[in-house]
Amino acid sequence: MPRIEFVIEGSQGDPYDVVFDISEGIARATCSCQAGANGQFCKHRMAMLDGDISSLRSANASSVAKLASLLEGTNLASAYADLVTAAKAHEETKRALDAAKRRLTRIAHQ
């Protein structure tokens, strides 16, 4: 079972261990941060899935690309793709809502 481990620096400077285990189309990801301990999918794991190495403190930046390759076709990759799609739709909806509010404000003040 492939395992890739990273050390990520949190926003307050604390180091967090992010671990991905991949086997037969099933991927698991853990993080030692508080959100991870509470069962949430944290920003540290998302950063690795996005290929963002700006907070990476371990000396294995090349493993981020390897991770992307190993995750192809897994349950985690599919769920993360759904999240990315939903986030984009959410941003588009927020922009449309803001535009509608601005239009309503302009019309109300005519």
Side-chain angles (χ1 to χ4, degrees):
M1 169 186 331
R3 171 178 270 224
I4 300 180
E5 300 178 27
F6 302 100
V7 176
I8 306 296
E9 184 176 312
S11 56
Q12 300 299 313
D14 296 322
Y16 297 117
D17 298 316
V18 176
V19 178
F20 290 88
D21 289 305
I22 304 112
S23 179
E24 299 178 14
I26 304 296
R28 294 195 176 280
T30 60
C31 184
S32 62
C33 73
Q34 188 64 45
N38 290 332
Q40 299 171 339
F41 200 86
C42 66
K43 63 185 178 183
H44 312 108
R45 287 176 274 188
M46 288 188 202
M48 293 299 91
L49 292 173
D50 285 338
D52 177 2
I53 61 170
S54 61
S55 296
L56 184 65
R57 294 300 166 251
S58 50
N60 60 339
S62 64
S63 293
V64 177
K66 181 180 177 185
L67 175 66
S69 175
L70 288 171
L71 287 175
E72 286 180 15
T74 66
N75 60 335
L76 184 59
S78 175
Y80 194 63
D82 290 346
L83 175 72
V84 169
T85 299
K88 288 178 183 176
H90 177 71
E91 286 301 317
E92 290 173 12
T93 300
K94 281 176 38 178
R95 282 192 293 275
L97 179 60
D98 289 344
K101 286 179 179 179
R102 286 190 302 274
R103 181 171 177 251
L104 183 60
T105 298
R106 279 193 314 272
I107 290 170
H109 293 335
Q110 287 181 348

